[in-house]
């Protein structure tokens, strides 16, 4: 076992100590290695960004093994996984309970022997159970011993939905016998299977169903999908488990990063690497919509929890914070942007709500992070009402107002990131415009 993990792709490793000398595009980079490939997730930060940053700051003596990396927007756990691979403890926040589950499943290693035993217990007799479920459903249209999940009607072929529910119950039995960590790993396989089995259209991260005429031919094999993904994920976890230190700690809080100090504490993080949402979830990346059915099938999350994810995200419909009218005074770029939106009768209020919430996270991160340590914000510039929003400049200016010291801005193209390339700029259905095709890594030092 080793906890050393260095970038080795040609063109990635820098020739000197300058961050600018790295190739940050990482074109054709593998984004599915080790546990990064356990499950898809929208707008996922590619692993080579935290990998390269952590390797750089270790080489230059800014951080060392045993330090803490923090991510206020954990998402699928990319930073937490790379932190463990670099010998670091990791901590994060997310308001999406499915993201918390996925982050933990990917970043917390499992013992090989225990994983194999738990897998054997899970699949032993599975074929017979699923056959009984299908026969009972075919006979009466229901399976009386199953408590069905709270998914919306019309999103699944009914026989397969009953089989997924039976799989959920078998995983619950694994939880009772082997513990939550093993059950969580299998629930991620169930989540993958759920998306494949549902009527959700391929390649979509918001809730769009197959056309009604296409649903008639949609007859997926639940057991085959589950077992294929199970073996793939088992191999990824075995390799990851061999590579990392099992004595390190990884904690992902199911809570809002706008109050992160309550969970993480002050002056705890030695480095922060995060990819904030690009805008409110409703009009950019709908993390809650993506996660809803997979989360509900696990049986560990309620419908109301999932329904609220996109509404409570940054700039969401549910106002978590009071208005901050003076925010424009903190960033000249934000003021110019909002004025332009107002002139166009655009979505200035929506933009203000988002940056108000984003600023609150910046304040919390400043308290969580040790003074002078690096904070990397990986941001993309979206459009609203056909007005470009220079998020990288606004990020820098708002952080500097808080007391961060600017270090460097690293622009990069996005060759293979899963995110929307078009949105509805006026928030009008059917109206499209360019959204984002590049990112900036804005690095500052904590106050």
């Amino acid at each position: 076992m080793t906890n050393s993990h260095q970038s080795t792709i040609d063109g990635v490793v820098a020739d000197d100590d300058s961050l600018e000398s790295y190739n940050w595009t990482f074109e054709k980079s593998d984004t599915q290695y080790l546990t990064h490939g356990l499950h898809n997730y929208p707008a996922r930060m590619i692993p080579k960004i935290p990998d390269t940053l952590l390797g750089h700051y270790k080489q230059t003596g800014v951080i060392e093994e045993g330090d803490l990396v923090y991510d206020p927007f954990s998402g699928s756990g990319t930073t937490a996984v790379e932190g463990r691979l670099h010998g670091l403890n990791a901590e994060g926040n997310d308001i999406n309970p499915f993201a918390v589950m996925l982050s933990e499943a990917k970043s917390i290693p499992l013992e090989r022997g225990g994983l194999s035993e738990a897998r054997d217990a899970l699949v032993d007799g599975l074929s017979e159970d699923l056959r009984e479920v299908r026969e009972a459903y075919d006979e009466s249209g229901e399976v009386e011993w199953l408590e069905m999940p709270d998914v919306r009607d019309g999103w699944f072929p009914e026989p397969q939905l009953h089989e997924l529910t039976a799989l959920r119950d078998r995983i619950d039995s694994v939880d009772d016998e082997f513990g939550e960590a093993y059950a969580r790993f299998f629930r991620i396989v169930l989540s993958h299977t759920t998306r494949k089995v549902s009527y959700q259209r391929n390649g979509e991260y918001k809730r769009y169903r197959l056309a009604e005429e296409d649903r008639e031919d949609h007859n997926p094999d639940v057991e085959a999908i589950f077992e294929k993904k199970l073996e793939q994920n088992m191999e990824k976890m075995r390799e990851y488990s061999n590579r990392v230190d099992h004595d390190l700690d990884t904690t992902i809080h199911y809570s809002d990063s706008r109050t992160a100090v309550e969970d993480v504490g002050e002056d705890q993080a030695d480095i922060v690497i995060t990819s904030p949402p690009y805008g409110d979830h409703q009009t950019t990346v709908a993390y809650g919509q993506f996660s809803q059915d997979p989360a509900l099938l696990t049986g560990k999350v309620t419908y109301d929890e999932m329904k609220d994810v996109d509404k409570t995200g940054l700039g969401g419909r549910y106002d978590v914070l009071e208005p901050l009218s003076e925010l424009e005074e903190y960033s000249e770029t934000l003021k110019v942007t909002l004025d332009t939106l107002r002139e166009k009768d655009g979505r200035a209020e929506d933009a203000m709500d988002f940056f108000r919430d984003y600023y609150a996270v910046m304040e919390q991160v400043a308290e969580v992070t040790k003074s002078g340590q690096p904070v990397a914000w990986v941001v993309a510039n979206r459009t609203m009402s056909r007005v470009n929003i220079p998020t990288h400049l606004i990020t820098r200016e708002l952080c500097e107002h808080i007391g961060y010291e600017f270090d460097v801005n690293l622009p990069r193209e996005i060759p293979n990131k899963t995110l929307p390339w078009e949105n509805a700029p006026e928030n009008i259905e059917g109206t499209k415009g360019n959204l984002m095709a590049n990112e900036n890594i804005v690095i500052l030092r904590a106050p």
Side-chain angles (χ1 to χ4, degrees):
M1 181 205 71
T2 177
N3 56 20
S4 176
H5 180 62
Q6 298 294 336
S7 300
T8 57
I9 296 177
D10 291 342
V12 170
V13 179
D15 296 327
D16 54 42
D17 289 342
S18 169
L19 283 167
E20 292 98 322
S21 61
Y22 291 80
N23 177 359
W24 292 99
T25 297
F26 306 124
E27 191 170 4
K28 299 181 180 178
S29 172
D30 180 9
T31 63
Q32 303 294 317
Y33 62 86
L34 301 175
T35 54
H36 291 301
L38 293 190
H39 196 287
N40 288 340
Y41 198 76
R44 185 167 66 94
M45 176 170 55
I46 69 167
K48 281 319 238 180
I49 293 177
D51 172 29
T52 305
L53 288 171
L54 293 173
H56 171 84
Y57 285 117
K58 282 176 66 179
Q59 288 178 352
T60 54
V62 175
I63 60 173
E64 60 185 18
E65 292 187 2
D67 281 351
L68 175 68
V69 59
Y70 173 63
D71 185 349
F73 302 101
S74 185
S76 67
T78 301
T79 294
V81 170
E82 288 300 320
R84 180 80 72 144
L85 285 165
H86 281 273
L88 303 174
N89 299 297
E91 202 156 352
N93 288 79
D94 211 286
I95 59 171
N96 181 352
F98 178 75
V100 173
M101 184 187 305
L102 179 57
S103 293
E104 291 175 336
K106 288 172 58 176
S107 60
I108 298 174
L110 300 175
E111 297 291 346
R112 291 170 61 97
L115 182 58
S116 294
E117 288 182 22
R119 185 272 315 275
D120 291 345
L122 175 63
V123 301
D124 183 30
L126 175 61
S127 296
E128 292 80 1
D129 275 4
L130 295 183
R131 184 165 56 250
E132 288 180 11
V133 167
R134 178 60 74 100
E135 290 172 353
Y137 179 81
D138 289 343
E139 182 176 335
S140 63
E142 62 179 0
V143 182
E144 61 182 15
W145 64 86
L146 293 178
E147 182 177 345
M148 300 303 291
D150 191 19
V151 296
R152 303 302 89 184
D153 291 339
W155 280 87
F156 288 87
E158 284 296 322
Q160 283 89 344
L161 179 59
H162 285 73
E163 293 178 24
L164 290 169
T165 305
L167 262 171
R168 177 204 67 194
D169 290 350
R170 290 183 71 92
I171 294 172
D172 287 346
S173 297
V174 169
D175 197 334
D176 294 338
E177 183 176 355
F178 294 91
E180 180 185 3
Y182 293 101
R184 181 172 56 223
F185 176 82
F186 298 135
R187 288 180 182 121
I188 296 305
V189 181
L190 176 61
S191 169
H192 166 87
T193 308
T194 297
R195 285 190 62 84
K196 290 289 187 181
V197 168
S198 78
Y199 290 136
Q200 173 73 30
R201 289 198 324 229
N202 288 334
E204 296 282 359
Y205 285 94
K206 292 189 177 181
R207 288 173 63 80
Y208 295 114
R209 276 183 290 188
L210 292 171
E212 193 166 349
E213 60 270 19
D214 295 330
R215 297 176 209 166
E216 297 177 4
D217 298 327
H218 186 64
N219 186 33
D221 186 329
V222 171
E223 184 177 7
I225 295 170
F226 182 84
E227 292 196 341
K228 179 180 179 180
K229 185 61 173 175
L230 176 61
E231 290 310 308
Q232 292 172 346
N233 283 9
M234 290 275 293
E235 184 56 36
K236 288 179 178 295
M237 176 54 74
R238 290 189 190 106
E239 187 177 354
Y240 175 73
S241 184
N242 284 341
R243 297 272 294 272
V244 300
D245 185 347
H246 288 226
D247 292 329
L248 292 167
D249 291 322
T250 298
T251 303
I252 310 298
H253 302 283
Y254 174 31
S255 61
D256 199 322
S257 55
R258 286 165 283 196
T259 57
V261 175
E262 295 177 5
D263 298 308
V264 184
E266 297 181 0
D267 298 323
Q268 297 297 312
D270 298 282
I271 186 170
V272 175
I273 303 174
T274 190
S275 179
Y278 299 123
D280 64 279
H281 295 192
Q282 297 289 335
T283 58
T284 54
V285 181
Y287 299 97
Q289 289 188 37
F290 169 83
S291 307
Q292 180 174 302
D293 287 337
L296 293 176
L297 255 297
T298 68
K300 299 302 175 183
V301 181
T302 68
Y303 175 74
D304 286 341
E305 284 181 283
M306 295 312 304
K307 183 179 65 175
D308 286 347
V309 168
D310 292 330
K311 296 176 182 178
T312 54
L314 302 192
R317 293 179 184 173
Y318 292 170
D319 284 337
V320 178
L321 302 174
E322 293 297 319
L324 187 61
S325 57
E326 62 266 32
L327 193 64
E328 292 178 69
E329 301 172 13
Y330 304 163
S331 166
E332 178 63 26
T333 304
L334 177 59
K335 183 180 187 306
V336 171
T337 301
L338 293 174
D339 285 343
T340 304
L341 286 169
R342 293 182 184 114
E343 290 171 3
K344 291 176 62 70
D345 195 23
R347 297 172 55 210
E349 186 175 340
D350 291 342
M352 173 62 93
D353 287 346
F354 173 79
F355 284 106
R356 172 204 61 196
D357 290 351
Y358 186 21
Y359 182 76
V361 177
M362 296 173 182
E363 291 182 309
Q364 292 288 298
V365 169
E367 293 188 53
V368 163
T369 311
K370 296 174 182 176
S371 178
Q373 292 300 106
V375 176
W377 308 91
V378 183
V379 299
N381 297 343
R382 63 174 299 201
T383 62
M384 298 179 73
S385 302
R386 304 194 184 276
V387 174
N388 181 59
I389 312 297
T391 306
H392 65 301
L393 298 178
I394 298 171
T395 296
R396 172 181 175 174
E397 291 168 6
L398 291 178
C399 281
E400 288 181 322
H401 177 81
I402 294 169
Y404 290 81
E405 181 181 347
F406 177 72
D407 191 349
V408 65
N409 183 79
L410 305 166
R412 63 177 300 270
E413 296 179 357
I414 309 177
N416 54 5
K417 189 168 183 178
T418 304
L419 46 70
W421 296 102
E422 292 183 324
N423 75 337
E426 293 81 17
N427 208 17
I428 299 172
E429 186 175 355
T431 304
K432 298 292 184 180
N434 292 333
L435 183 57
M436 54 195 81
N438 55 68
E439 288 181 325
N440 287 273
I441 306 170
V442 184
I443 301 179
L444 305 101
R445 299 288 179 143

